Amino acid sequence: MVVKKRQYYGFNGFHMPPVPRAPRSARQRGLSLNKKKVEDSQLCAFELLASLAGKLLQESESSASSNASEANNQPIIGGGGVKCEQAEDRPLKAECLDHGSCRESAFVTGFSSPNGDQKSLLNDFRHAESYSILERSSMISNSNSSEKVGADLKTVICKSKSVCENFTGKVEDSFDSKVACDGYVDNGFRRHQVGDGLDTGGLTAENACSLKDPMEMCMKFPTLIKPDSDVELPLRREPVPNTSIPRRRNDTNWGMKPHYRKRKLCYSRESCNSPDKSLTGDKNGTAVMLHGANGVSSSVIGHQSPFHSKDSHVKFSIKSFRVPELFIEIPETATVGSLKRTVLEAVSAVLGSGLRVGVLLHGMKIRDDNRTLLQTGMTSKENLDTLGFSLEPIPVQAPPPLCTEDPALLPCDTSQLISSSPTTPIIDSGISDALPDPPPSTNLDTNTESNHESVSSHSDMVTDDTLLDSRALVAVPPINAEALAMVPLSQKSKRSELVPRRTRRPFSVSEVEALVHAVEEVGTGRWRDVKLRSFEDADHRTYVDLKDKWKTLVHTARIAPQQRRGEPVPQELLDRVLAAHAYWSQHQAKQHSKNQAAILKITVAHAVRNGVEDSHSI
DNA sequence: GTTAGGG
DNA sequence: CCCTAAC
């Protein structure tokens, strides 16, 4: 199973950074290479949580009958995951059932080592307001440890009720969670919940342990987790504005960081590992957004419960949505408060402009709304892992320059999508980084992330996050679209309004004659000379006008007389036009000396022709 | 600023 | 005639 997972990630091209125990900094960078252990551990936590949650839900939902089979079959995507799930399932279920409320919320807080050294706790949370959170804190460190740990732990947060209920199969994702993590994980929140869970008597550590090896769980988890979801605006999230800032700094400590370079992988793993990642993800995500433009990817958790034969339902838990990128430029002297406001405004603008939801599977946007989940393959576990939702600005008028939203722009979309989607690895992050702005980051939030590493914390409000990430935050969508639209319009209007079209002044026969004569002498291609020679005093006749008139004269001469409009031009002049045009077309006219000769030739030719005719007539 | 062409 | 690209 693990292998699969890896492959999966591999597909993405990202390697999850291992994280488990090493200090974040170490992990993130150096360790990143070490995927296995760390990752696994991390993953496990999530997976466990997810799996547990999912199972609980499923069971609660489904009849008991399905359970056994499910456990076997359901393995989460990751092979390892499967086991965990299975093992876990029952215990969890039992727990849930006992409690009866499991579906409402299940939380797992600390996970311990597989061996049992570590403890894992599974808690039930019932507070509606609270969101269930799965953390793998213990893995990293003591759950008690506080914020940092929490941060690292970060993981999946769900709205307790809705989410939990929804969870069926696994829980994925997470990156996003960063926000969630921030908020909750830190501090008190986490503890609080934990405490609740314990008190509640929900799942206990024991249970958790029983579930399985944390390691395994972790392993699985990763698979579940999707990298793509980067940032998130957790729906649920409570605002924690004030705290947010401080936290972030803390977050940084947390160590999450972003690896933007591979956002996905980073996310996934990091997220698992630490909350930072989420932040990172944001950033990365942001970057991604830039590319893509649009949207917003969401961290989604999809659960599927294939087992239930009854009516198969696919459950999705959408933790958060990434906010479209916003670009914020603000003076260094601006206050943090103003920065927040600025970001908030930007975010509000984006959200307020109207959004539509996009569904991505395997990084591909599913545009056909008529397809069933089954048809799209969304019901399969594997696919679920790659499932993602995106918020896209509704194209208001002109499609934004970016490809962002418009589905029409496949490439862009794809890229974006891809980036967002966990499955596909994304490059953007790199780009974003590149773009970066060291400066901006510095200004804005230094803390946030000038380094990817430093993490921004999710803890902060979305806004905050946004800001942080912001180094490049731009609400691409609506704003750009409008702006774009505006530009063109304005331009058009300009011309008409500002510079009224000149009044039409048809050439008189005499003017035509003068023009023909001039062209015969200097040739075509020397309109300025023609102007000077024959229309010097005619201010309303520019050399461009003369050129255009010659063009029309040639055309007129070539068409049937009946087709000609306007004041009739003597055929004689039209003949001269054709003669001169033919001549100069072959001679490139340019030298005056030659011109003179040319003139003669032309004249002669013309005369000859006429003469011939005349002779005949005569 | 001119040319050359498309609109 | 306008608008632009290309000189």
Side-chain angles (χ1 to χ4, degrees), chain A residues 267-286:
Chain A
Y267 282 113
S268 61
R269 291 190 179 179
E270 287 184 354
S271 61
C272 292
N273 293 341
S274 62
D276 294 347
K277 140 184 134 325
S278 62
L279 291 177
T280 303
D282 289 352
K283 291 178 179 181
N284 292 344
T286 301

Side-chain angles (χ1 to χ4, degrees), chain A residues 373-392:
Chain A
L373 299 185
L374 198 58
Q375 291 175 324
T376 60
M378 216 177 276
T379 56
S380 76
K381 296 173 183 178
E382 293 180 357
N383 290 339
L384 274 179
D385 287 344
T386 66
L387 179 64
F389 291 92
S390 64
L391 288 181
E392 305 167 351

